[in-house]
CSV table of all heavy atoms in Angstrom, one decimal:
chain,number,residue,atom,x,y,z
L,149,TYR,N,8.4,23.4,-137.5
L,149,TYR,CA,7.3,24.3,-137.2
L,149,TYR,C,6.3,24.6,-138.3
L,149,TYR,O,5.3,25.3,-138.1
L,149,TYR,CB,7.9,25.6,-136.7
L,149,TYR,CG,8.8,25.5,-135.4
L,149,TYR,CD1,10.2,25.5,-135.5
L,149,TYR,CD2,8.1,25.3,-134.2
L,149,TYR,CE1,10.9,25.3,-134.3
L,149,TYR,CE2,8.9,25.1,-133.0
L,149,TYR,CZ,10.3,25.1,-133.1
L,149,TYR,OH,11.0,24.9,-132.0
L,150,GLY,N,6.6,24.2,-139.5
L,150,GLY,CA,5.7,24.4,-140.6
L,150,GLY,C,6.0,25.7,-141.3
L,150,GLY,O,6.6,26.6,-140.8
L,151,PRO,N,5.6,25.8,-142.6
L,151,PRO,CA,5.9,26.9,-143.5
L,151,PRO,C,5.3,28.2,-143.1
L,151,PRO,O,5.8,29.3,-143.3
L,151,PRO,CB,5.5,26.4,-144.8
L,151,PRO,CG,4.4,25.4,-144.6
L,151,PRO,CD,4.8,24.7,-143.3
L,152,ARG,N,4.0,28.2,-142.6
L,152,ARG,CA,3.3,29.4,-142.3
L,152,ARG,C,4.1,30.3,-141.3
L,152,ARG,O,4.3,31.5,-141.6
L,152,ARG,CB,1.9,29.1,-141.8
L,152,ARG,CG,1.1,30.3,-141.3
L,152,ARG,CD,-0.2,29.9,-140.8
L,152,ARG,NE,-0.2,29.3,-139.5
L,152,ARG,CZ,-0.3,29.9,-138.4
L,152,ARG,NH1,-0.5,31.2,-138.4
L,152,ARG,NH2,-0.3,29.3,-137.2
L,153,ARG,N,4.4,29.7,-140.1
L,153,ARG,CA,5.0,30.5,-139.1
L,153,ARG,C,6.4,31.0,-139.5
L,153,ARG,O,6.8,32.1,-139.2
L,153,ARG,CB,5.1,29.7,-137.8
L,153,ARG,CG,3.7,29.4,-137.2
L,153,ARG,CD,3.9,28.5,-135.9
L,153,ARG,NE,2.7,28.3,-135.2
L,153,ARG,CZ,1.8,27.3,-135.6
L,153,ARG,NH1,2.2,26.4,-136.6
L,153,ARG,NH2,0.7,27.1,-134.9
L,154,VAL,N,7.1,30.1,-140.1
L,154,VAL,CA,8.5,30.4,-140.4
L,154,VAL,C,8.6,31.5,-141.4
L,154,VAL,O,9.3,32.5,-141.3
L,154,VAL,CB,9.3,29.1,-140.9
L,154,VAL,CG1,10.7,29.5,-141.4
L,154,VAL,CG2,9.3,28.1,-139.8
L,155,GLU,N,7.9,31.4,-142.5
L,155,GLU,CA,8.0,32.4,-143.6
L,155,GLU,C,7.4,33.8,-143.1
L,155,GLU,O,8.0,34.8,-143.4
L,155,GLU,CB,7.2,32.0,-144.9
L,155,GLU,CG,7.3,33.1,-145.9
L,155,GLU,CD,6.8,32.7,-147.3
L,155,GLU,OE1,6.7,31.5,-147.5
L,155,GLU,OE2,6.6,33.6,-148.1
L,156,ALA,N,6.3,33.8,-142.4
L,156,ALA,CA,5.7,35.0,-142.0
L,156,ALA,C,6.6,35.8,-141.0
L,156,ALA,O,6.8,37.0,-141.2
L,156,ALA,CB,4.4,34.8,-141.2
L,157,ALA,N,7.3,35.1,-140.1
L,157,ALA,CA,8.2,35.7,-139.2
L,157,ALA,C,9.4,36.3,-140.0
L,157,ALA,O,9.9,37.4,-139.8
L,157,ALA,CB,8.7,34.8,-138.2
L,158,LEU,N,10.0,35.5,-140.9
L,158,LEU,CA,11.2,36.0,-141.6
L,158,LEU,C,10.9,37.2,-142.6
L,158,LEU,O,11.7,38.0,-142.8
L,158,LEU,CB,11.7,34.8,-142.5
L,158,LEU,CG,12.5,33.7,-141.7
L,158,LEU,CD1,12.8,32.6,-142.6
L,158,LEU,CD2,13.8,34.3,-141.0
L,159,LEU,N,9.7,37.2,-143.1
L,159,LEU,CA,9.3,38.3,-144.0
L,159,LEU,C,9.4,39.7,-143.3
L,159,LEU,O,9.6,40.7,-143.9
L,159,LEU,CB,7.9,38.1,-144.6
L,159,LEU,CG,7.9,37.2,-145.8
L,159,LEU,CD1,6.4,36.8,-146.1
L,159,LEU,CD2,8.6,37.7,-147.0
L,160,LEU,N,9.1,39.7,-142.0
L,160,LEU,CA,9.3,40.9,-141.2
L,160,LEU,C,10.7,41.4,-141.1
L,160,LEU,O,11.0,42.6,-141.1
L,160,LEU,CB,8.7,40.7,-139.8
L,160,LEU,CG,7.2,40.4,-139.7
L,160,LEU,CD1,6.8,40.2,-138.3
L,160,LEU,CD2,6.4,41.6,-140.3
L,161,PHE,N,11.7,40.4,-141.1
L,161,PHE,CA,13.1,40.8,-141.2
L,161,PHE,C,13.4,41.4,-142.6
L,161,PHE,O,14.2,42.4,-142.7
L,161,PHE,CB,14.0,39.6,-141.0
L,161,PHE,CG,14.0,39.1,-139.5
L,161,PHE,CD1,13.2,38.2,-139.0
L,161,PHE,CD2,15.0,39.7,-138.7
L,161,PHE,CE1,13.2,37.8,-137.7
L,161,PHE,CE2,15.1,39.3,-137.4
L,161,PHE,CZ,14.2,38.3,-136.9
L,162,ALA,N,12.8,40.9,-143.6
L,162,ALA,CA,13.0,41.4,-144.9
L,162,ALA,C,12.5,42.9,-145.0
L,162,ALA,O,13.1,43.7,-145.6
L,162,ALA,CB,12.3,40.6,-146.0
L,163,ALA,N,11.3,43.1,-144.5
L,163,ALA,CA,10.7,44.4,-144.5
L,163,ALA,C,11.6,45.4,-143.7
L,163,ALA,O,11.9,46.6,-144.2
L,163,ALA,CB,9.3,44.4,-143.8
L,164,ALA,N,12.2,45.0,-142.6
L,164,ALA,CA,13.1,45.8,-141.8
L,164,ALA,C,14.4,46.1,-142.6
L,164,ALA,O,14.9,47.2,-142.6
L,164,ALA,CB,13.5,45.1,-140.5
L,165,GLY,N,14.9,45.1,-143.4
L,165,GLY,CA,16.1,45.3,-144.2
L,165,GLY,C,15.8,46.3,-145.3
L,165,GLY,O,16.7,47.1,-145.6
L,166,CYS,N,14.6,46.3,-145.9
L,166,CYS,CA,14.3,47.3,-146.9
L,166,CYS,C,14.3,48.7,-146.3
L,166,CYS,O,14.8,49.6,-147.0
L,166,CYS,CB,12.9,47.0,-147.5
L,166,CYS,SG,12.8,45.5,-148.5
L,167,ALA,N,13.8,48.8,-145.1
L,167,ALA,CA,13.8,50.2,-144.5
L,167,ALA,C,15.2,50.6,-144.2
L,167,ALA,O,15.5,51.8,-144.5
L,167,ALA,CB,13.0,50.1,-143.2
L,168,LEU,N,16.0,49.7,-143.8
L,168,LEU,CA,17.4,50.1,-143.5
L,168,LEU,C,18.2,50.4,-144.8
L,168,LEU,O,19.0,51.3,-144.8
L,168,LEU,CB,18.1,48.9,-142.7
L,168,LEU,CG,17.6,48.7,-141.3
L,168,LEU,CD1,18.3,47.4,-140.7
L,168,LEU,CD2,17.9,49.9,-140.4
L,169,PHE,N,17.9,49.7,-145.9
L,169,PHE,CA,18.5,50.0,-147.1
L,169,PHE,C,18.1,51.4,-147.6
L,169,PHE,O,19.0,52.1,-148.1
L,169,PHE,CB,18.1,49.0,-148.2
L,169,PHE,CG,19.0,48.9,-149.4
L,169,PHE,CD1,20.0,48.0,-149.4
L,169,PHE,CD2,18.8,49.7,-150.5
L,169,PHE,CE1,20.8,47.9,-150.5
L,169,PHE,CE2,19.6,49.7,-151.6
L,169,PHE,CZ,20.7,48.7,-151.6
L,170,ALA,N,16.9,51.8,-147.4
L,170,ALA,CA,16.4,53.1,-147.8
L,170,ALA,C,17.1,54.2,-147.0
L,170,ALA,O,17.3,55.3,-147.5
L,170,ALA,CB,14.9,53.2,-147.6
L,171,LEU,N,17.6,53.8,-145.8
L,171,LEU,CA,18.3,54.8,-144.9
L,171,LEU,C,19.8,54.8,-145.1
L,171,LEU,O,20.5,55.7,-144.6
L,171,LEU,CB,17.9,54.5,-143.5
L,171,LEU,CG,16.5,54.8,-143.0
L,171,LEU,CD1,16.2,54.2,-141.6
L,171,LEU,CD2,16.1,56.3,-143.1
L,172,GLY,N,20.3,53.8,-145.8
L,172,GLY,CA,21.8,53.5,-145.8
L,172,GLY,C,22.5,54.7,-146.5
L,172,GLY,O,22.1,55.3,-147.5
L,173,GLN,N,23.7,55.0,-146.0
L,173,GLN,CA,24.6,56.1,-146.5
L,173,GLN,C,25.9,55.6,-147.0
L,173,GLN,O,26.6,56.4,-147.6
L,173,GLN,CB,24.8,57.1,-145.3
L,173,GLN,CG,23.5,57.7,-144.8
L,173,GLN,CD,22.8,58.5,-145.8
L,173,GLN,OE1,23.4,59.2,-146.7
L,173,GLN,NE2,21.5,58.5,-145.8
L,174,ASN,N,26.3,54.4,-146.8
L,174,ASN,CA,27.6,53.9,-147.3
L,174,ASN,C,27.5,52.4,-147.6
L,174,ASN,O,26.5,51.8,-147.4
L,174,ASN,CB,28.7,54.2,-146.3
L,174,ASN,CG,28.4,53.6,-144.9
L,174,ASN,OD1,28.0,52.4,-144.8
L,174,ASN,ND2,28.5,54.4,-143.9
L,175,LEU,N,28.6,51.9,-148.2
L,175,LEU,CA,28.6,50.5,-148.6
L,175,LEU,C,28.3,49.5,-147.5
L,175,LEU,O,27.6,48.6,-147.6
L,175,LEU,CB,29.9,50.2,-149.3
L,175,LEU,CG,30.1,48.8,-149.8
L,175,LEU,CD1,29.1,48.4,-150.9
L,175,LEU,CD2,31.5,48.6,-150.3
Side-chain angles (χ1 to χ4, degrees):
Y149 296 104
R152 175 180 73 94
R153 292 178 177 87
V154 174
E155 180 172 343
L158 286 172
L159 281 170
L160 295 178
F161 285 92
C166 291
L168 291 174
F169 199 94
L171 293 169
Q173 299 297 323
N174 55 50
L175 180 61

